Amino acid sequence: MEYISEFNTLKMEEDKCVGCGLCQTVCPLRVIEVINRKATLQHPKRCIECGACMSNCPTSAVTVEAGVGCAQAIFNGGSCNC
């Protein structure tokens, strides 16, 4: 599954990343991978903007406008045409 990339709000500031791997661990769709001690957006079009990565990042290296994507539609009891 991939989503429309120009509407995706997920951003990564790799210079802020300390390589802890929490974002990779909590991402339900494996969007983020830690490579050489830095988190990278390996599959950004998979992001459902749930906010788990941002909520768990200790350095605010990951940002996403949680609640605007497919995940929020599902949480609200709707469906998603992903």
Side-chain angles (χ1 to χ4, degrees):
M1 260 188 318
E2 292 188 349
Y3 306 96
I4 303 170
S5 60
E6 55 266 18
F7 296 106
N8 190 312
T9 63
L10 179 65
K11 305 285 184 253
M12 173 69 69
E13 292 184 59
E14 291 183 24
D15 58 320
K16 289 184 177 181
C17 179
V18 294
C20 69
L22 288 172
C23 57
Q24 177 179 313
T25 301
V26 300
C27 180
L29 296 175
R30 299 182 185 188
V31 171
I32 301 170
E33 290 182 33
V34 177
I35 300 171
N36 295 324
R37 298 184 183 180
K38 289 289 179 181
T40 59
L41 301 178
Q42 290 296 303
H43 306 284
K45 291 182 180 181
R46 291 183 188 171
C47 179
I48 58 173
E49 299 174 323
C50 68
C53 55
M54 181 176 70
S55 297
N56 286 279
C57 181
T59 63
S60 301
V62 186
T63 58
V64 66
E65 194 173 332
V68 299
C70 189
Q72 190 63 40
I74 294 168
F75 294 148
N76 290 340
S79 62
C80 181
N81 296 326
C82 309

